[in-house]
Amino acid sequence: MSAEIVYEIAHFDGAGDDALVLERVQLLSVDGVLRLRKTDGSETPCEGQDVDAVISSTPALREIRAGQEIRISCDSEVAAMLPFVLEPVLDGRDSGDCHAKVNGADWMAFPTLVEEHVMLPGSDQFEGPDLSSCWATLSVEEGEWNPLFGFTSIGVVTPGVAVEFGRCDPGGLGIVSAVAISPFDDFATVFVEWLLNWEVLAAVWYGDEAPTARTVQLFDEAAAAANNVGGWSTEINDDDQDNDDNAGDDSDDEDEDDDEDSSHHAAAYLELFLSDELIEQVRARLKSLK
């Protein structure tokens, strides 16, 4: 009988290397059969042979509770799917207190758009997850007096798992951030969806309307630039956005003249971290959408 530890989660009484183990639960593969081994050494057979499914259905294997020191060990294939199977449990605490070590790397709970959290590599909620490969970043700003600043990135967090991160700084009102994760097998589809929509940034944006950025134009410029950065800025006339709403308005001419000067500054910067081959895949995907 041969036994292989395919996944282990251990709870410690501190963060140091000499910390005492309080609890250890292991998922074993014994002659191809999955078994759960608890701290006391007792073992029970698991239902099914899918490691991800067993972890996600077993609280002792999946729950990452805030305030606890937790270390996880597993092979790279299992680690790649942990964002979808681990469950952050905050118990009313800040998400920054919900963390774990996965194969020695820092993971923490990041907020999503559906008022939930996911465990991802990283140690700073507002800097975003640690990407194993970043594809691109987009920075936007609007306004001149107490302007809004936004940032979004797209890349790979574990093999086959893409993450979109968005952050908005509303000038002293508190930074807001969120992530969205998805499995993928077609890079160009995921990248272009982010390029055209940047859903996460739009969701955390404080403005009345989504931020302005001509991302296809920025992509073309960045792809051709030696530093792979594209920039764009303009003055947006607020009156233009309100013309349809004000049609037929009989306001006096003096008020109209005052409103004509109403505008705000907008700028965006896109930086690519893509090979020439991947850039061509994006171009082909954009062309197919026309």
Side-chain angles (χ1 to χ4, degrees):
M1 179 183 297
S2 61
E4 175 190 3
I5 300 174
V6 297
Y7 179 87
E8 176 183 288
I9 180 169
H11 300 250
F12 292 78
D13 68 352
D17 294 337
D18 58 348
L20 179 68
V21 177
L22 301 176
E23 180 183 8
R24 175 180 282 122
V25 182
Q26 297 172 328
L27 187 60
L28 309 176
S29 177
V30 182
D31 294 332
V33 177
L34 294 179
R35 299 181 64 86
L36 192 68
R37 176 187 289 168
K38 297 183 179 180
T39 307
D40 60 6
S42 62
E43 296 183 9
T44 55
C46 301
E47 294 185 8
Q49 299 306 308
D50 186 290
V51 174
D52 299 338
V54 170
I55 295 173
S56 63
S57 63
T58 308
L61 297 175
R62 74 170 188 265
E63 291 184 348
I64 308 297
R65 292 191 171 273
Q68 297 184 354
E69 294 292 334
I70 298 174
R71 302 174 196 174
I72 293 172
S73 301
C74 57
D75 63 31
S76 58
E77 290 186 3
V78 175
M81 296 308 294
L82 289 184
F84 297 108
V85 298
L86 294 181
E87 179 188 358
V89 181
L90 302 187
D91 290 331
R93 302 182 64 159
D94 186 86
S95 60
D97 293 329
C98 191
H99 52 80
K101 291 276 190 181
V102 178
N103 294 334
D106 290 322
W107 285 46
M108 69 168 292
F110 287 87
T112 70
L113 296 180
V114 291
E115 298 184 355
E116 295 178 351
H117 289 76
V118 294
M119 294 298 300
L120 296 174
S123 58
D124 190 323
Q125 173 182 322
F126 301 118
E127 289 299 318
D130 293 339
L131 302 178
S132 60
S133 176
C134 181
W135 294 336
T137 63
L138 174 69
S139 301
V140 298
E141 58 183 80
E142 288 195 5
E144 296 181 16
W145 301 104
N146 198 27
L148 287 172
F149 295 96
F151 174 86
T152 179
S153 60
I154 185 77
V156 178
V157 68
T158 61
V161 180
V163 60
E164 178 181 348
F165 170 71
R167 178 183 69 231
C168 180
D169 181 354
L173 297 179
I175 298 174
V176 179
S177 66
V179 300
I181 61 173
S182 61
F184 77 97
D185 53 18
D186 181 4
F187 153 77
T189 297
V190 174
F191 185 88
V192 170
E193 175 66 21
W194 169 81
L195 185 70
L196 298 180
N197 297 300
W198 15 292
E199 176 186 7
V200 177
L201 176 57
V204 300
W205 188 251
Y206 266 71
D208 295 331
E209 298 181 357
T212 302
R214 298 177 179 176
T215 48
V216 175
Q217 173 185 321
L218 286 172
F219 172 80
D220 290 337
E221 181 179 335
N227 62 354
N228 291 126
V229 176
W232 169 84
S233 64
T234 189
E235 295 296 323
I236 298 177
N237 191 315
D238 296 332
D239 239 18
D240 291 342
Q241 298 179 352
D242 299 332
N243 279 343
D244 291 340
D245 295 336
N246 294 334
D249 190 347
D250 293 329
S251 302
D252 60 53
D253 293 342
E254 182 178 351
D255 289 340
E256 290 179 2
D257 290 341
D258 290 341
D259 290 342
E260 285 177 0
D261 295 331
S262 178
S263 64
H264 67 270
H265 174 75
Y269 306 91
L270 176 70
E271 184 170 7
L272 302 177
F273 306 95
L274 302 176
S275 65
D276 292 343
E277 179 183 356
L278 293 180
I279 286 175
E280 289 305 316
Q281 290 182 27
V282 174
R283 284 174 173 154
R285 177 62 179 167
L286 288 171
K287 185 178 180 179
S288 71
L289 298 177
K290 294 182 179 179

